[in-house]
Amino acid sequence: MNMKTSEIKELTTKEIVERIDTEKENLVRLRLNHAVSPLDNPLKLKDTKKNIARLKTVLRQRELSENQN
C-alpha cells in the first residue's frame, strides 16, 4: 500500500510511529519471502522502503517544529 505524504500528515504522531513499526515488520517479511522464492512483484520492497522514509520524514518534521516552539 503506497501512502501519500498528505495522508501521512493527517495521522497522529502515535499512529505514524505504529505505522513505521508495521512497515518495518512487513519489509522484513517481504525480504525473507523474496530470499526463499522470488516475489511476484519485487517493487513491493522498494515501495515499502519509500513508505518508511516518508513516515520518518513527517515524524522528523514534527519533532523539529516542536523544538522550535
Side-chain angles (χ1 to χ4, degrees):
M1 180 176 70
N2 210 355
M3 295 187 72
K4 295 183 179 177
T5 308
S6 58
E7 294 172 352
I8 294 171
K9 288 181 179 179
E10 293 173 3
L11 300 174
T12 65
T13 303
K14 184 180 179 193
E15 288 173 332
I16 291 175
V17 171
E18 290 172 358
R19 216 32 99 76
I20 290 172
D21 290 340
T22 306
E23 288 288 328
K24 282 185 176 181
E25 290 172 10
N26 188 24
L27 181 61
V28 169
R29 206 173 309 114
L30 284 172
R31 282 184 177 154
L32 287 173
N33 290 340
H34 189 59
V36 174
S37 64
L39 293 174
D40 294 338
N41 185 0
L43 291 176
K44 285 182 181 178
L45 291 168
K46 184 178 178 182
D47 287 343
T48 305
K49 287 194 279 187
K50 284 190 174 188
N51 278 339
I52 293 170
R54 284 188 192 103
L55 290 162
K56 285 185 170 184
T57 300
V58 171
L59 191 63
R60 182 67 178 144
Q61 287 172 344
R62 288 185 184 183
E63 286 175 5
L64 291 174
S65 66
E66 287 175 9
N67 287 344
Q68 287 178 348
N69 296 339

